[in-house]
mmCIF file of all heavy atoms in Angstrom:
data_model
loop_
_atom_site.group_PDB
_atom_site.id
_atom_site.type_symbol
_atom_site.label_atom_id
_atom_site.label_comp_id
_atom_site.label_asym_id
_atom_site.label_seq_id
_atom_site.Cartn_x
_atom_site.Cartn_y
_atom_site.Cartn_z
ATOM 1 N N PRO A 87 14.248 -33.569 -10.159
ATOM 2 C CA PRO A 87 13.332 -34.772 -10.137
ATOM 3 C C PRO A 87 12.033 -34.433 -10.677
ATOM 4 O O PRO A 87 11.237 -33.698 -10.189
ATOM 5 C CB PRO A 87 13.327 -35.267 -8.693
ATOM 6 C CG PRO A 87 13.570 -34.030 -7.890
ATOM 7 C CD PRO A 87 14.587 -33.124 -8.662
ATOM 8 N N GLY A 88 11.746 -35.120 -11.771
ATOM 9 C CA GLY A 88 10.397 -34.943 -12.410
ATOM 10 C C GLY A 88 10.237 -33.545 -12.996
ATOM 11 O O GLY A 88 9.108 -33.103 -13.317
ATOM 12 N N GLY A 89 11.348 -32.793 -13.210
ATOM 13 C CA GLY A 89 11.197 -31.406 -13.797
ATOM 14 C C GLY A 89 10.807 -30.442 -12.786
ATOM 15 O O GLY A 89 10.424 -29.255 -13.144
ATOM 16 N N SER A 90 10.830 -30.704 -11.522
ATOM 17 C CA SER A 90 10.243 -29.868 -10.493
ATOM 18 C C SER A 90 11.115 -28.600 -10.307
ATOM 19 O O SER A 90 10.520 -27.553 -10.139
ATOM 20 C CB SER A 90 10.130 -30.573 -9.154
ATOM 21 O OG SER A 90 11.465 -31.049 -8.657
ATOM 22 N N ILE A 91 12.466 -28.620 -10.431
ATOM 23 C CA ILE A 91 13.217 -27.415 -10.114
ATOM 24 C C ILE A 91 13.110 -26.554 -11.377
ATOM 25 O O ILE A 91 13.039 -25.275 -11.281
ATOM 26 C CB ILE A 91 14.735 -27.780 -9.877
ATOM 27 C CG1 ILE A 91 14.742 -28.601 -8.595
ATOM 28 C CG2 ILE A 91 15.571 -26.523 -9.885
ATOM 29 C CD1 ILE A 91 16.151 -29.091 -8.291
ATOM 30 N N GLY A 92 13.074 -27.101 -12.611
ATOM 31 C CA GLY A 92 12.881 -26.277 -13.785
ATOM 32 C C GLY A 92 11.463 -25.658 -13.815
ATOM 33 O O GLY A 92 11.276 -24.582 -14.225
ATOM 34 N N ALA A 93 10.442 -26.405 -13.346
ATOM 35 C CA ALA A 93 9.115 -25.877 -13.351
ATOM 36 C C ALA A 93 9.125 -24.728 -12.330
ATOM 37 O O ALA A 93 8.418 -23.663 -12.527
ATOM 38 C CB ALA A 93 8.111 -26.944 -12.879
ATOM 39 N N LEU A 94 9.723 -24.885 -11.117
ATOM 40 C CA LEU A 94 9.821 -23.812 -10.111
ATOM 41 C C LEU A 94 10.497 -22.605 -10.605
ATOM 42 O O LEU A 94 10.027 -21.514 -10.528
ATOM 43 C CB LEU A 94 10.501 -24.396 -8.867
ATOM 44 C CG LEU A 94 10.626 -23.371 -7.724
ATOM 45 C CD1 LEU A 94 9.310 -22.922 -7.150
ATOM 46 C CD2 LEU A 94 11.516 -23.896 -6.594
ATOM 47 N N GLU A 95 11.554 -22.781 -11.410
ATOM 48 C CA GLU A 95 12.189 -21.716 -12.057
ATOM 49 C C GLU A 95 11.270 -20.877 -13.051
ATOM 50 O O GLU A 95 11.246 -19.715 -13.015
ATOM 51 C CB GLU A 95 13.466 -22.237 -12.838
ATOM 52 C CG GLU A 95 14.224 -21.160 -13.559
ATOM 53 C CD GLU A 95 15.435 -21.736 -14.350
ATOM 54 O OE1 GLU A 95 15.415 -22.985 -14.741
ATOM 55 O OE2 GLU A 95 16.306 -21.006 -14.653
ATOM 56 N N GLY A 96 10.541 -21.729 -13.839
ATOM 57 C CA GLY A 96 9.683 -21.029 -14.783
ATOM 58 C C GLY A 96 8.579 -20.258 -14.164
ATOM 59 O O GLY A 96 8.187 -19.122 -14.486
ATOM 60 N N VAL A 97 7.988 -20.965 -13.185
ATOM 61 C CA VAL A 97 6.856 -20.319 -12.370
ATOM 62 C C VAL A 97 7.384 -19.089 -11.614
ATOM 63 O O VAL A 97 6.658 -18.073 -11.512
ATOM 64 C CB VAL A 97 6.180 -21.297 -11.516
ATOM 65 C CG1 VAL A 97 5.218 -20.594 -10.544
ATOM 66 C CG2 VAL A 97 5.510 -22.351 -12.312
ATOM 67 N N SER A 98 8.660 -19.120 -11.201
ATOM 68 C CA SER A 98 9.149 -17.965 -10.453
ATOM 69 C C SER A 98 9.246 -16.802 -11.423
ATOM 70 O O SER A 98 9.039 -15.629 -10.967
ATOM 71 C CB SER A 98 10.495 -18.386 -9.842
ATOM 72 O OG SER A 98 10.360 -19.286 -8.916
ATOM 73 N N TYR A 99 9.828 -17.037 -12.622
ATOM 74 C CA TYR A 99 9.861 -15.867 -13.620
ATOM 75 C C TYR A 99 8.525 -15.279 -13.844
ATOM 76 O O TYR A 99 8.315 -14.048 -13.914
ATOM 77 C CB TYR A 99 10.582 -16.384 -14.893
ATOM 78 C CG TYR A 99 12.081 -16.365 -14.818
ATOM 79 C CD1 TYR A 99 12.719 -17.604 -14.555
ATOM 80 C CD2 TYR A 99 12.841 -15.252 -14.941
ATOM 81 C CE1 TYR A 99 14.129 -17.689 -14.538
ATOM 82 C CE2 TYR A 99 14.230 -15.303 -14.926
ATOM 83 C CZ TYR A 99 14.804 -16.415 -14.647
ATOM 84 O OH TYR A 99 16.230 -16.512 -14.561
ATOM 85 N N LEU A 100 7.536 -16.135 -14.071
ATOM 86 C CA LEU A 100 6.191 -15.669 -14.213
ATOM 87 C C LEU A 100 5.634 -14.953 -13.039
ATOM 88 O O LEU A 100 4.930 -13.859 -13.280
ATOM 89 C CB LEU A 100 5.238 -16.835 -14.638
ATOM 90 C CG LEU A 100 5.519 -17.564 -15.941
ATOM 91 C CD1 LEU A 100 4.634 -18.768 -16.082
ATOM 92 C CD2 LEU A 100 5.335 -16.631 -17.109
ATOM 93 N N ALA A 101 5.888 -15.352 -11.886
ATOM 94 C CA ALA A 101 5.390 -14.713 -10.604
ATOM 95 C C ALA A 101 6.075 -13.261 -10.506
ATOM 96 O O ALA A 101 5.291 -12.316 -10.206
ATOM 97 C CB ALA A 101 5.789 -15.517 -9.369
ATOM 98 N N VAL A 102 7.327 -13.237 -10.830
ATOM 99 C CA VAL A 102 7.911 -11.845 -10.662
ATOM 100 C C VAL A 102 7.425 -10.968 -11.797
ATOM 101 O O VAL A 102 7.118 -9.752 -11.467
ATOM 102 C CB VAL A 102 9.569 -12.053 -10.791
ATOM 103 C CG1 VAL A 102 10.120 -10.698 -11.109
ATOM 104 C CG2 VAL A 102 9.992 -12.659 -9.487
ATOM 105 N N VAL A 103 7.248 -11.389 -12.959
ATOM 106 C CA VAL A 103 6.775 -10.559 -14.082
ATOM 107 C C VAL A 103 5.309 -10.151 -13.673
ATOM 108 O O VAL A 103 4.759 -9.038 -13.842
ATOM 109 C CB VAL A 103 6.766 -11.298 -15.423
ATOM 110 C CG1 VAL A 103 5.896 -10.547 -16.420
ATOM 111 C CG2 VAL A 103 8.214 -11.413 -15.887
ATOM 112 N N GLY A 104 4.481 -11.127 -13.098
ATOM 113 C CA GLY A 104 3.129 -10.774 -12.605
ATOM 114 C C GLY A 104 3.137 -9.797 -11.554
ATOM 115 O O GLY A 104 2.250 -8.833 -11.635
#
Side-chain angles (χ1 to χ4, degrees):
S90 60
I91 296 176
L94 179 63
E95 179 184 20
V97 170
S98 295
Y99 278 98
L100 292 175
V102 165
V103 168

